[in-house]
């Protein structure tokens, strides 16, 4: 089959990895099937009146993949490319992400098909409130707890919290995380995913005995994750030689001054377009640069069978969810490229979401030093465990992460399912 006609499906990538881990664990077929499928998937349709007086209809989703380990947790994505298969994959990755880092949450994800850049703030507020109303029975601090994802942020989370609270007649802060501080958000949440990516990158560099001050990195995506990963790595002395966003990609072999770029980005309508001190390159070429670390922090399936053979980085740290398609895995492995999987690499976001949820539930507010320290401890432990299991089973860190997560979820699930009398692991 020609690579041209391979259409990548993130849900299939998830299933491919799941099956490898399930086979290593000898997981019984019935529990295997159960964990491949979401517990619940909901499609909602709602309309809002736009600023120009027209009424527009929107389709949105919420997929609850699994709740064995706790209330389901996961972001809401606003993007024109949102579809049910993508949301299903993202929901399952949230289950594995929480399980691998030891956070007591299940996994979920939501999305609305829309282009947030084409809507005013008032329209985005209406869209968010209508979506919340449509899913008011699903959300809840002990049931399903949304958070930001691509195209959403603290504003949307604040509107969701407010709408949910109005519907229930009392303030319910813990229904959503990633809120503004004044709406009950947590210190450190905005930068948490990027901070986590940088912590994990430093650990990966250490594994390969590369000193941060001698390392180079290329970062795809300058949204919340890419920007903060770049900033924290720059602060640790890593030379960021290339960055990109949807509008532009550029390269500077001497290293980009990241704080200066962030200033430019903030004054330039949140885009890096036109930043003067570098050379523009093609978007796809950023992925192929000869760097120590490549951080794809934009979207799914950017590294596939098609370009994997040309990747020169020594380490790939998955800032985005699912940036490496499953058909690229063997090629990267054969090239001896260390891939740190999304469900570990970008788990900093959900980890600090957990801290926010805890603070809301306990009516506490924690210091930033306390938050960052706990985040670091959790990610370090996750990293060590993943690499230990990888050595034990002679598998990639990704399959190791799936083995850890799957085992944990399967064991808890089987205790919950009274009807499940078959053995959890096949006897042979
Ligand atoms: N959307 C983020 C993720 O993919 C954060 C989810 C959360 O904090 O619940 O991990």
């Amino acid at each position: 089959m020609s690579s041209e006609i391979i259409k990548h499906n993130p849900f299939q990538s998830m299933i491919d990895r799941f099956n490898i881990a399930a086979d290593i664990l000898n997981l019984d077929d019935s529990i295997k099937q159960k964990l491949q499928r979401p517990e619940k998937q909901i499609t909602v349709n709602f309309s809002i009146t736009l600023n120009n007086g027209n009424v527009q209809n929107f389709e949105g989703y919420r997929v609850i993949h699994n709740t064995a380990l706790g209330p389901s947790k996961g972001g809401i994505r606003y993007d024109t490319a949102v579809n049910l298969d993508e949301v299903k994959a993202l929901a399952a990755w949230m289950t594995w992400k929480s399980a691998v880092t030891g956070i007591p949450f299940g996994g979920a994800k939501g999305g609305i098909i829309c282009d947030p850049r084409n809507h005013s703030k008032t329209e985005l507020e209406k869209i968010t409130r209508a979506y919340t109303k449509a899913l008011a029975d699903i959300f809840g601090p002990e049931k399903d707890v949304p958070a930001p994802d691509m195209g959403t942020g603290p504003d949307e989370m604040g509107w969701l919290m407010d709408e949910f609270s109005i519907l229930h007649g009392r303030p319910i802060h813990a229904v959503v995380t990633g809120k503004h501080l004044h709406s009950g958000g947590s210190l450190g949440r905005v930068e948490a995913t990027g901070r986590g990516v940088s912590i994990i990158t430093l650990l990966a560099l250490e594994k390969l005995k590369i000193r941060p001050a001698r390392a180079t990195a290329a970062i795809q995506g300058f949204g919340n994750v890419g920007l903060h990963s770049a900033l924290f790595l720059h602060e640790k002395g890593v030379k960021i030689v290339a960055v990109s966003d949807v509008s532009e990609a550029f390269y500077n072999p001497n290293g980009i001054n990241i704080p200066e770029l962030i200033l430019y980005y903030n004054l330039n309508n949140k885009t890096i377009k036109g930043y003067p001190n570098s050379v523009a390159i093609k978007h796809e070429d950023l992925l192929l640069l000869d760097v120590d670390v490549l951080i794809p922090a934009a979207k799914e399936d950017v590294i596939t069978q098609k370009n994997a053979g040309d990747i020169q980085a020594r380490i790939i740290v998955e800032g985005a969810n699912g940036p490496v398609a499953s058909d690229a895995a063997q090629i990267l492995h054969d090239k001896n490229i260390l891939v740190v999987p999304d469900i570990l690499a970008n788990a900093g976001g959900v980890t600090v979401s957990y801290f926010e949820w805890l603070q809301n539930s306990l009516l506490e507010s924690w210091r930033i030093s306390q938050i960052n320290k706990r985040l670091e401890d959790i990610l370090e432990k996750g990293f060590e465990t993943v690499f230990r299991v990888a050595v034990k089973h002679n598998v990639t860190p990704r399959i190791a992460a799936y083995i850890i997560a799957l085992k944990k979820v399967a064991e808890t699930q089987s205790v919950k399912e009274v009807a499940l009398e078959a053995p959890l692991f096949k006897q042979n």
Side-chain angles (χ1 to χ4, degrees):
M1 189 164 42
S2 138
S3 59
E4 249 58 55
I5 54 167
I6 293 176
K7 183 147 173 20
H8 290 94
N9 174 328
F11 189 70
Q12 193 52 47
S13 277
M14 190 285 290
I15 293 290
D16 291 346
R17 277 102 184 221
F18 174 102
N19 284 337
I20 299 174
D23 288 347
I24 291 172
L25 284 169
N26 242 340
L27 202 63
D28 176 72
D29 285 339
S30 66
I31 189 100
K32 195 169 147 181
Q33 277 172 25
K34 160 107 200 165
L35 296 182
Q36 283 181 341
R37 297 179 186 149
E39 284 178 13
K40 239 179 234 176
Q41 53 189 60
I42 303 128
T43 302
V44 293
N45 275 289
F46 54 87
S47 308
I48 66 146
T49 308
L50 302 173
N51 290 357
N52 64 10
N54 291 344
V55 173
Q56 189 178 335
N57 188 263
F58 292 88
E59 180 156 304
Y61 311 99
R62 186 73 181 166
V63 173
I64 313 248
H65 173 257
N66 190 274
T67 53
L69 297 182
S72 51
K73 186 87 193 76
I76 301 171
R77 175 171 288 202
Y78 289 4
D79 191 69
T80 48
V82 162
N83 62 77
L84 199 53
D85 255 2
E86 179 193 56
V87 181
K88 272 165 67 182
L90 290 162
W93 282 326
M94 288 309 302
T95 303
W96 315 135
K97 203 182 289 189
S98 289
V100 86
T101 38
I103 289 168
F105 283 140
K109 203 78 170 198
I112 300 176
I113 307 172
C114 70
D115 185 350
R117 283 163 302 196
N118 284 346
H119 290 288
S120 66
K121 238 186 155 93
T122 328
E123 290 171 349
L124 288 172
E125 176 168 353
K126 285 184 185 173
I127 292 169
T128 308
R129 287 184 184 274
Y131 176 77
T132 308
K133 231 182 240 165
L135 289 165
D137 290 345
I138 299 297
F139 298 150
E142 275 86 42
K143 287 162 69 182
D144 178 39
V145 186
D149 198 76
M150 249 168 71
T152 60
D155 286 345
E156 285 74 17
M157 301 308 116
W159 296 323
L160 194 157
M161 191 271 284
D162 189 56
E163 188 64 32
F164 189 83
S165 299
I166 291 171
L167 291 167
H168 289 81
R170 65 196 163 88
I172 306 178
H173 293 96
V175 67
V176 61
T177 60
K179 306 177 291 289
H180 283 293
L181 277 181
H182 59 75
S183 304
S186 172
L187 288 170
R189 176 61 187 87
V190 172
E191 59 274 33
T193 312
R195 184 177 289 282
V197 168
S198 74
I199 293 169
I200 292 288
T201 303
L202 295 175
L203 291 169
L205 283 169
E206 197 182 311
K207 247 232 143 35
L208 298 196
K209 302 198 166 40
I210 304 172
R211 294 218 316 268
R214 290 186 156 268
T216 54
I219 303 184
Q220 181 195 43
F222 212 68
N224 183 36
V225 182
L227 181 152
H228 288 105
S229 306
L231 179 63
F232 296 130
L233 287 171
H234 174 85
E235 282 174 5
K236 294 287 178 194
V238 175
K239 198 194 277 179
I240 316 292
V241 294
V243 296
S244 68
D245 68 3
V246 275
S247 64
E248 200 156 308
F250 54 73
Y251 175 63
N252 180 343
N254 300 319
I256 297 161
N257 183 334
I258 298 295
E260 185 189 275
L261 175 64
I262 293 176
L263 215 59
Y264 178 88
Y265 166 90
N266 283 328
L267 294 171
N268 192 35
N269 219 0
K270 306 257 167 197
T271 161
I272 61 173
K273 195 175 173 60
Y275 179 67
N277 303 328
S278 339
V279 181
I281 53 170
K282 283 202 208 132
H283 270 99
E284 56 271 31
D285 290 347
L286 179 139
L287 299 169
L288 312 181
L289 291 171
D290 184 6
V291 285
D292 295 304
V293 189
L294 172 63
I295 304 182
K299 52 184 180 142
E300 298 102 68
D301 297 332
V302 294
I303 299 172
T304 67
Q305 188 194 62
K306 253 175 109 174
N307 59 358
D310 298 324
I311 303 246
Q312 298 188 67
R314 298 174 68 186
I315 304 170
I316 297 176
V317 179
E318 293 188 321
N321 291 309
V324 176
S326 54
D327 64 10
Q330 192 60 44
I331 305 170
L332 298 174
H333 182 70
D334 291 346
K335 290 180 66 131
N336 213 7
I337 297 173
L338 172 61
V339 182
V340 189
D342 45 9
I343 57 175
L344 171 68
N346 69 35
V350 71
T351 303
V352 178
S353 273
Y354 167 52
F355 299 161
E356 180 173 334
W357 180 83
L358 270 179
Q359 290 171 81
N360 289 162
S361 307
L362 300 169
L363 304 178
E364 286 185 359
S365 92
W366 300 355
R367 287 195 307 271
I368 186 70
S369 53
Q370 197 179 351
I371 288 166
N372 288 342
K373 175 82 182 70
R374 284 188 79 167
L375 171 65
E376 207 168 325
D377 286 350
I378 287 178
L379 292 182
E380 266 178 27
K381 186 166 158 251
F383 186 90
E384 278 163 23
T385 316
V386 164
F387 280 81
R388 189 161 15 90
V389 172
V391 170
K392 181 175 162 204
H393 290 280
N394 191 21
V395 292
T396 61
R398 185 189 315 278
I399 298 303
Y402 271 74
I403 290 176
I404 296 162
L406 216 54
K407 185 162 186 290
K408 198 180 278 181
V409 177
E411 280 170 353
T412 313
Q413 185 82 44
S414 72
V415 175
K416 286 169 71 123
E417 304 229 347
V418 186
L420 197 76
E421 283 168 10
L424 183 54
F425 303 105
K426 287 178 203 153
Q427 326 280 310
N428 51 7

